Amino acid sequence: MSTTTPSPSSPMALENIRVLELGQLIAGPYCGQILADFGAEVIKIEPPGKGDAMRQWGTEDQHGDPIWWNVIGRNKKSVTLDLRQPEGQELLKELVAKADVLIENFRPGTMEKWGLGYDVLSALNRRLVMVRVTGFGQDGPYARRAGFAAVCEAMGGLRYISGYPDRPPVRVGISLGDSLAGLHGALGALVALQNRERTGKGQMVDSAIYESVLAMMESLIPDYARAGKVRERSGSFLPGLAPSNAYPTRDGRDVVIGANQDTVFARLCNAMGQPTLADHPDYATHRARGENQLAIDDLVAAWTRQHDAQQIVDVLAEAGVPAGLVYRAPEMLDDPHFRARDSIVEVPDRHGDPLPMQQVFPRLSDTPGRVRHVGVALGAHTDEVLSSILGLDEARREELRDKRVI
């Protein structure tokens, strides 16, 4: 791991882009995190008092602070603003006039109820890109339904194919749908900003969680439409791709091996000391291996059970066969490849203690992103932003505080 050392002279790709993040929980804030990681000035607008609910979610550290907030709130400024009050709405409009992107993930109609719909905001700033992240999108019969990731992952097809065929569908151990919607929102913002370079005009980005999951479903839809095939749950392997599975080892760990391509399978057979398997009619082609998937998995498992997991990984790496261990956080922190690439960085938390977290991805050769600081305290930048961007003096800010607008 490396310790981040923010350098003002190091260029960042989005450092001239100002983003207003009105999102909460995961989907909208993850979109803001991505833009902030690459240098955008992300001003997170939070309700006075409690702020984003993510400030209370997850495991707490020794100080009683939620650890997750350090990640999803990283690289952002925090400004408190009550958007339910007319004065709060007017202040947001003033900020919009000087912004490039606005992110929100309220239920459709909420921004319009506050007089902050895209029609109003774009009239104030025709260059504004408005990213709207929701469960089901901005229109359609389900648009106004509450849409958490769990429900939208099910609707988008992910839940049905996750798990084992003899058990109910399972969820992935993270809120994947939220993160995918945030990622698509960030992608949409960047595409819209590029288009703005040509036209001088912003636009609205509609990122729905269920559609962000659907986008990852490979050929699931055309497989059914053209061949009548419904993809089913299959556990730790994909039907027709063999050998590609998690295999048991002598020391009780699982090793994942992917050798379903013809040439790679031949290399695996050599490493196993069974080179003739590659020419056996049951295993010689991709389709034949798929048809005999259970038999070939039994053959590979019989070999892996005779060796320790790390030994298998080392042997197969030398042989040119994709293989790896199933990592948890401890293995990630201890892995030399993670360390060599600074995949995990240590960032001082608000108490000055080093906190490891994932690096900024993807990597850019000339203008890389970086983690400049962890999630800040609620309202840490309220005075700075309202004074430097909107020119509000101390007396006016105190008046707004007395009214609980900020």
Side-chain angles (χ1 to χ4, degrees):
M1 292 180 296
S2 72
T3 302
T4 56
T5 52
S7 171
S9 62
S10 177
M12 301 186 76
L14 301 179
E15 60 186 15
N16 294 319
I17 299 297
R18 177 175 290 155
V19 179
L20 304 177
E21 181 196 297
L22 277 60
Q24 55 185 336
L25 298 177
I26 303 171
Y30 184 62
C31 176
Q33 179 193 323
I34 294 170
L35 300 179
D37 282 350
F38 287 99
E41 180 191 20
V42 176
I43 301 171
K44 183 172 181 61
I45 306 296
E46 303 182 72
K50 290 187 177 180
D52 191 327
M54 289 303 296
R55 292 181 177 275
Q56 285 80 47
W57 279 29
T59 305
E60 295 182 350
D61 64 14
Q62 68 272 28
H63 303 288
D65 297 330
I67 299 172
W68 192 352
W69 172 252
N70 290 291
V71 181
I72 202 164
R74 73 188 191 186
N75 293 331
K76 303 175 185 178
K77 296 178 177 179
S78 172
V79 170
T80 54
L81 193 60
D82 188 351
L83 298 178
R84 291 172 174 80
Q85 294 195 47
E87 284 185 280
Q89 296 159 6
E90 290 304 314
L91 288 172
L92 182 72
K93 290 177 183 178
E94 292 183 42
L95 289 171
V96 163
K98 301 182 179 182
D100 299 286
V101 178
L102 182 144
I103 303 166
E104 64 95 3
N105 67 335
F106 302 115
R107 197 178 301 189
T110 301
M111 293 290 286
E112 285 75 12
K113 180 179 67 176
W114 293 338
L116 300 172
Y118 184 65
D119 56 340
V120 174
L121 301 183
S122 61
L124 298 171
N125 180 357
R126 69 185 300 268
R127 293 172 58 81
L128 180 72
V129 172
M130 186 175 187
V131 179
R132 315 194 76 171
V133 186
T134 58
F136 302 104
Q138 293 298 310
D139 54 17
Y142 304 158
R144 291 181 181 268
R145 291 184 180 180
F148 272 20
V151 175
C152 297
E153 287 168 10
M155 184 174 170
L158 179 63
R159 287 297 184 96
Y160 185 78
I161 61 172
S162 299
Y164 288 84
D166 60 342
R167 305 174 207 173
V170 300
R171 70 169 298 161
V172 181
I174 55 174
S175 298
L176 184 61
D178 281 327
S179 298
L180 286 173
L183 184 63
H184 279 100
L187 172 62
L190 297 176
V191 172
L193 288 172
Q194 174 61 26
N195 184 69
R196 192 182 73 173
E197 289 298 303
R198 296 189 302 109
T199 66
K201 186 176 182 298
Q203 59 184 297
M204 189 171 69
V205 177
D206 182 354
S207 179
I209 298 175
Y210 89 95
E211 288 175 332
S212 295
V213 173
L214 177 62
M216 303 293 109
M217 288 297 103
E218 301 174 351
S219 62
L220 183 146
I221 297 295
D223 280 352
Y224 172 73
R226 186 60 59 85
K229 177 184 177 181
V230 174
R231 191 175 293 191
E232 301 287 347
R233 293 185 290 285
S234 56
S236 62
F237 63 87
L238 291 177
L241 295 180
S244 182
N245 209 333
Y247 299 93
T249 64
R250 184 169 60 190
D251 56 352
R253 301 182 69 182
D254 289 322
V255 60
V256 175
I257 300 173
N260 46 289
Q261 187 180 9
D262 290 351
T263 55
V264 180
F265 178 64
R267 294 198 290 268
L268 173 63
C269 293
N270 284 327
M272 291 168 55
Q274 303 179 61
T276 58
L277 275 179
D279 300 318
H280 192 287
D282 287 349
Y283 313 126
T285 66
H286 174 81
R287 189 170 297 277
R289 289 191 299 276
E291 292 171 351
N292 295 281
Q293 188 157 26
L294 295 179
I296 199 169
D297 271 349
D298 287 343
L299 288 169
V300 176
W303 174 70
T304 59
R305 284 193 182 95
Q306 301 174 42
H307 307 281
D308 291 344
Q310 189 60 57
Q311 179 187 3
I312 294 169
V313 171
D314 294 341
V315 167
L316 295 185
E318 183 67 24
V321 177
L325 303 175
V326 179
Y327 276 13
R328 306 164 303 152
E331 290 79 28
M332 295 177 190
L333 288 166
D334 193 46
D335 186 272
H337 189 76
F338 277 66
R339 289 199 299 269
R341 285 179 56 83
D342 290 334
S343 300
I344 297 173
V345 293
E346 284 187 347
V347 188
D349 67 12
R350 284 189 280 160
H351 302 278
D353 300 322
L355 179 67
M357 66 177 65
Q358 57 267 43
Q359 180 61 280
V360 177
F361 313 118
R363 302 168 186 272
L364 276 62
S365 60
D366 293 336
T367 56
R370 63 176 181 267
V371 185
R372 303 183 297 285
H373 60 79
V374 300
V376 299
L378 178 63
H381 299 90
T382 301
D383 286 309
E384 173 195 323
V385 168
L386 295 186
S387 61
S388 65
I389 298 178
L390 301 187
L392 302 187
D393 60 23
E394 185 176 354
R396 175 58 175 151
R397 298 197 304 271
E398 286 304 313
E399 178 186 353
L400 292 169
R401 278 196 178 88
D402 290 340
K403 296 179 179 178
R404 296 186 179 179
V405 176
I406 63 174

